[in-house]
Amino acid sequence: MHDLPLKTDPFDVAQRQRLVRVALGQEAADTVIVNAQIVDVLTRELYTADVALAGGRIAGVGSGYRAPETIDAHGAFLAPGFMDAHIHIESSLLTPARFAQAVRPHGTTGVVAEPHELVNVLGLHGLHWMLEAGRGSGLRVYASLPSCVPASEYERGGAVLTAPDIREGLTVPGVLGLAEMMNYPGVLSSDTGVWSVLEQAQGRRDGHAAGLRGAQVQAYAAAGIHSDHEAVTPQEALERLRAGLWLMVREGSAARNLDALLPVLRGDWSGGRPPRRTMLVSDDVSVDELLELGHLDRLMKTCVAGGMHPADALALVTCNPAEYWGLHDLGAVCPGYHADLVLLKDLQGFEVLETWVGGQRGLNAGTTPALPGGAVSLGAEWERASFEPPASWPVIGVRPDQIVTDTLPSGSGDTRLVVSDRYGRGEVAACWAAGLHLERGAVALSVLHDAHHVIAAGADAGSIRAAGRALEALGGGAVVVDETGRVLAELPLPFAGLMSDAPPQTAAQQAEDIKAALHSLGCTLPYPVTTLSFLGLTVIPSLKLTPRGLFDVNGWRLVGEAVMRDA
């Protein structure tokens, strides 16, 4: 892809004048796509036309164009390429180039990445790397700048972004605005640090308001937040829309909200008129699910099967996200727009026949740039900790299809959880969880939103200790061991302990091996790595475990400090 993603595309007079000449038939285009059914997501109509491409853009939609290359669509449906307006590429466990290989066959041509996983580990260097890697990926990769690094004062990762860092990051080409403001207690309480971050962002301020209702939603919107992807019920979704927030409907591997919010997207509450300020996003989706089920294409399939008009469903991943992020040359099949296109066999299953990014067919991804740093260091404390949870602490209730957790009474747990600082600071905490059902052995991984410490879950302390040692030796990723400490499966993630540059099929098979090994040990979670990776995030209700201790998100306090004991 030749286009360099910028905050604002520069107006190239020579290029635009050529587009004018091609549109008037005075000059040949580079490529003409003929006999296509155009899906106009702006007028919500279908019509047959030819599309002329020149210099990576659309010169015209009509007839009579000439070009050295003609592509016959044979009546298939030509739509704008799909855009995921809020996704953490790192959660796919893939580098951007490998992520592109997984999603572009499903019609995805662009994403707005929120690299706070990488930035929590490596700081602004991680942001620059994500954009650099994105430029050679074969996708159009933009970014939103992480606003909460760390996510709250109760987390401590590998980096801290201050207000000056935010100001600097927002000037980086390809950064479209401020990413999800997760520290909503700080927003609502006028916390000085949080508001100094909000002050730096004069453009888009992305939201993250898990659990907020009523007056809290109004206050959050009044603070200058523009969107939210945390609604889980129709009432929460309507509250956000009525407060002027753009609604991002999330359907990822650990948080599935589309079915519950589909009535809102259909407009059931307004006589069948879909609300305009809506989008579909995946937020966090694993490589195995991408390969097995697809990406945004499967979400639109769900929408159409649930009664939405195909053009309305397509708008959720094309013109709507482009409008939200101010990408005025993306999201429609119109003259002057970037030639990011997808040819579809039908508008029910959204089977993809061909994709173009910047007018280029096929996927010729470049090499992934090196990424030093981000090793896993557990220290001597890992060997001497007892991993014995305090008996009085409540239990984390894990839900199989959500990233929110429940607060359960002490004594109701079935699996031991341990979180250890991965940056060599020697902090370790343990608690009980229910819903994992690990009967023997253990798993350890270095993906733990957002600070990305090491989380381990197991039936006994010995298995947990063995899993942690194996993970440290691996250099990050995920490891499953049996009750003897024998490694059953491993998923290496050498890029900051978060990503693999292996082919998607290889990484997916390794993730599947981890899942199968955990299921053989009794775990019942459908996507255990993704679910486990959210059990430390202190801005998603209700209980989460950090190296400092067990955190009550609703009460915004530590239930108890971690206590180190000799084994």
Side-chain angles (χ1 to χ4, degrees):
M1 187 177 71
H2 298 304
D3 296 273
L4 177 68
L6 300 171
K7 292 177 74 171
T8 303
D9 288 308
F11 192 85
D12 186 321
V13 172
Q15 181 194 45
R16 292 288 180 168
Q17 289 178 342
R18 184 192 174 205
L19 294 178
V20 170
R21 294 192 298 272
V22 172
L24 293 172
Q26 299 171 351
E27 184 175 320
D30 298 331
T31 301
V32 177
I33 305 170
V34 300
N35 301 320
Q37 294 192 67
I38 308 301
V39 185
D40 193 322
V41 295
L42 303 181
T43 63
R44 303 298 203 268
E45 63 178 324
L46 293 174
Y47 59 90
T48 301
D50 302 338
V51 179
L53 311 182
R57 290 181 182 265
I58 300 170
V61 182
S63 62
Y65 306 114
R66 54 193 172 88
E69 180 187 38
T70 299
I71 300 172
D72 195 334
H74 298 290
F77 300 90
L78 189 66
F82 311 152
M83 175 178 290
D84 197 327
H86 178 76
I87 187 170
H88 307 283
I89 290 178
E90 307 97 308
S91 292
S92 72
L93 307 178
L94 300 171
T95 60
R98 298 302 190 179
F99 175 78
Q101 292 177 351
V103 302
R104 189 158 154 173
H106 294 281
T108 300
T109 59
V111 298
V112 180
E114 209 284 63
H116 71 212
E117 324 303 345
L118 197 52
V119 173
N120 266 274
V121 177
L122 297 173
L124 285 180
H125 174 62
L127 169 72
H128 286 281
W129 182 89
M130 181 62 73
L131 288 167
E132 179 188 358
R135 282 191 287 272
S137 69
L139 289 182
R140 200 176 296 275
V141 177
Y142 298 94
S144 54
L145 179 66
S147 61
C148 301
V149 179
S152 77
E153 64 267 31
Y154 293 95
E155 294 188 41
R156 186 168 59 145
V160 174
L161 291 194
T162 63
D165 295 324
I166 297 293
R167 184 166 58 248
E168 176 188 342
L170 288 169
T171 67
V172 175
V175 174
L176 303 179
L178 193 68
E180 48 188 327
M181 174 47 72
M182 296 181 289
N183 193 345
Y184 53 81
V187 173
L188 302 184
S189 65
S190 298
D191 178 88
T192 302
V194 170
W195 277 81
S196 66
V197 168
L198 291 175
E199 184 182 11
Q200 305 307 313
Q202 300 306 311
R204 281 290 177 206
R205 300 182 188 91
D206 214 5
H208 182 288
L212 294 192
R213 295 294 307 272
Q216 293 177 320
V217 175
Q218 298 288 310
Y220 193 65
I225 307 297
H226 299 118
S227 68
D228 186 37
H229 58 270
E230 292 293 333
V232 298
T233 67
Q235 184 58 40
E236 288 182 350
L238 286 174
E239 283 186 334
R240 282 146 179 78
L241 288 168
R242 289 166 178 166
L245 298 173
W246 284 73
L247 176 68
M248 295 180 175
V249 175
R250 173 180 54 195
E251 183 76 2
S253 295
R256 303 184 184 277
N257 308 130
L258 178 54
D259 283 345
L261 301 186
L262 190 53
V264 176
L265 293 178
R266 282 196 307 254
D268 290 2
W269 52 282
S270 60
R273 297 185 300 275
R276 194 178 66 82
R277 292 182 138 198
T278 51
M279 293 170 270
L280 294 173
V281 302
S282 54
D283 199 4
D284 300 277
V285 61
S286 62
V287 57
D288 48 343
E289 181 165 334
L290 288 172
L291 295 182
E292 177 187 355
L293 301 176
H295 188 209
L296 299 170
D297 54 337
R298 73 175 175 91
L299 306 191
M300 289 186 291
K301 181 178 179 179
T302 299
C303 289
V304 171
M308 286 190 72
H309 189 280
D312 289 331
L314 274 163
L316 299 174
V317 298
T318 55
C319 57
N320 288 10
E323 178 185 351
Y324 174 75
W325 284 115
L327 299 169
H328 304 299
D329 291 347
L330 287 171
V333 184
C334 293
Y337 279 55
H338 287 297
D340 294 5
L341 303 166
V342 58
L343 192 65
L344 301 168
K345 181 179 179 180
D346 59 70
L347 297 180
Q348 291 79 41
F350 296 93
E351 181 181 341
V352 174
L353 302 175
E354 187 79 75
T355 59
W356 292 260
V357 177
Q360 296 184 13
R361 302 168 77 183
L363 178 59
N364 299 308
T367 58
T368 297
L371 182 62
V376 173
S377 176
L378 294 175
E381 287 77 8
W382 185 258
E383 295 301 323
R384 64 184 180 85
S386 69
F387 306 143
E388 186 62 36
S392 61
W393 282 6
V395 171
I396 297 178
V398 178
R399 300 187 190 183
D401 59 351
Q402 299 293 338
I403 59 177
V404 297
T405 64
D406 300 310
T407 300
L408 303 179
S410 59
S412 60
D414 56 52
T415 304
R416 197 180 306 238
L417 282 186
V418 173
V419 171
S420 176
D421 184 289
R422 71 176 274 191
Y423 305 100
R425 292 183 289 246
E427 296 177 329
V428 184
C431 74
W432 288 102
L436 297 175
H437 306 298
L438 264 178
E439 298 168 357
R440 57 192 182 88
V443 59
L445 56 148
S446 57
V447 180
L448 182 63
H449 303 281
D450 280 339
H452 294 292
H453 295 296
V454 168
I455 183 169
D460 62 272
S463 297
I464 288 173
R465 204 178 317 279
R469 285 197 300 265
L471 179 69
E472 189 174 35
L474 187 64
V479 175
V480 178
V481 302
D482 65 13
E483 63 274 19
T484 70
R486 179 173 62 95
V487 174
L488 301 179
E490 60 183 23
L491 168 61
L493 300 176
F495 284 76
L498 300 173
M499 294 170 288
S500 168
D501 200 38
Q505 293 77 9
T506 300
Q509 184 57 60
Q510 292 168 336
E512 183 62 32
D513 292 344
I514 292 287
K515 180 166 64 175
L518 282 170
H519 288 172
S520 74
L521 300 176
C523 180
T524 57
L525 295 174
Y527 291 95
V529 169
T530 304
T531 300
L532 283 167
S533 72
F534 279 98
L535 297 185
L537 184 52
T538 59
V539 292
I540 298 290
S542 63
L543 280 183
K544 297 297 167 76
L545 185 64
T546 78
R548 291 180 54 188
L550 187 61
F551 187 71
D552 175 5
V553 181
N554 295 329
W556 203 247
R557 64 183 182 88
L558 283 168
V559 172
E561 297 283 347
V563 179
M564 286 294 305
R565 300 182 181 88
D566 290 337

